[in-house]
Amino acid sequence: MTGVIPSPNDPGRPDGQGGAHAGEDRRHMIRRRALTLLIIVLLIGVPAGYLVISANQSRASGKDKEAKYSATGLTEGWPSKLQRRIYQVPVPHPAWWVASYETNNWKTSRLYVEFETSDVGLTAFLTSMGMSEKDLKKDHLPIGERDRNVTGWTFDGPGTWSGLVHKQKNPAPTHDVVVNHDKPGYPRVYVVARTVP
């Protein structure tokens, strides 16, 4: 009995390396690997790209804030809970672009606070001091020159400006409040709280 020797191009060869069939398998394998590589690149590359963009935006925002406050006595960040309690400055939630600065001497202690909030946040802030929006007088800027020099605040930008003075009997603090409504729905609040030790 004579055996038949398979041709090198015979797809039925037991080693599975026959001609056209082997070429098809190889192309399929290359295509599968390329697709797998593309998926891996997308799964890793896209989130990494977002992280880089986010980090750059965060860094730019930090630089903006740093530049904004470096020219003033203010420090970026919320006043401590103790400061907020002593000076009775209830920074509302939500609030952003928060900055504060405290000065003390034998005669008077002051806490300067600046923040941006929502209309609801402004209402909550004023209500917690026993005041309301109707107590804000248009174009009234009770924060004086001395305090403006300490903080670098200038109240001559665009927007509707209003203010109030919340007087209390010593040793409770008195508050000078100025509000800018330049961005509708997002008032910017400036507070000077004074207390006599």
Side-chain angles (χ1 to χ4, degrees):
M1 187 170 172
T2 309
V4 178
I5 300 172
S7 154
N9 293 325
D10 183 357
R13 277 180 62 185
D15 58 6
Q17 295 176 356
H21 184 68
E24 250 178 63
D25 283 350
R26 184 164 173 73
R27 279 196 301 274
H28 182 71
M29 181 187 71
I30 290 170
R31 217 175 302 141
R32 194 176 67 243
R33 285 186 180 168
L35 185 61
T36 303
L37 183 63
L38 178 64
I39 291 169
I40 290 169
V41 167
L42 289 174
L43 286 173
I44 295 171
V46 171
Y50 279 121
L51 283 173
V52 168
I53 290 167
S54 176
N56 284 337
Q57 286 175 341
S58 178
R59 195 177 299 118
S61 172
K63 284 180 182 173
D64 288 347
K65 289 181 182 179
E66 191 178 322
K68 176 178 172 59
Y69 297 125
S70 64
T72 71
L74 297 168
T75 302
E76 180 193 348
W78 287 56
S80 69
K81 286 183 181 178
L82 181 63
Q83 287 173 320
R84 281 179 272 162
R85 193 175 75 239
I86 291 170
Y87 292 97
Q88 297 175 15
V89 179
V91 180
H93 289 278
W96 43 93
W97 291 94
V98 181
S100 64
Y101 181 60
E102 183 180 17
T103 62
N104 296 293
N105 61 39
W106 62 274
K107 190 177 176 185
T108 309
S109 294
R110 286 178 172 83
L111 179 67
Y112 302 88
V113 183
E114 173 184 354
F115 59 89
E116 190 174 284
T117 186
S118 62
D119 286 337
V120 172
L122 177 62
T123 300
F125 170 72
L126 294 172
T127 302
S128 66
M129 291 197 304
M131 310 293 277
S132 71
E133 280 93 334
K134 67 179 184 222
D135 295 307
L136 290 167
K137 295 175 187 167
K138 189 179 176 185
D139 297 324
H140 179 49
L141 305 172
I143 297 176
E145 201 65 39
R146 178 201 177 281
D147 294 323
R148 294 185 202 187
N149 288 338
V150 169
T151 57
W153 290 337
T154 57
F155 302 130
D156 54 4
T160 304
W161 295 87
S162 59
L164 63 81
V165 176
H166 175 230
K167 287 187 179 175
Q168 299 188 97
K169 191 173 180 181
N170 287 339
T174 291
H175 302 98
D176 295 331
V177 179
V178 171
V179 180
N180 182 11
H181 299 274
D182 178 34
K183 289 198 288 185
Y186 297 96
R188 190 156 196 81
V189 182
Y190 304 83
V191 186
V192 179
R194 299 186 311 278
T195 184
V196 177

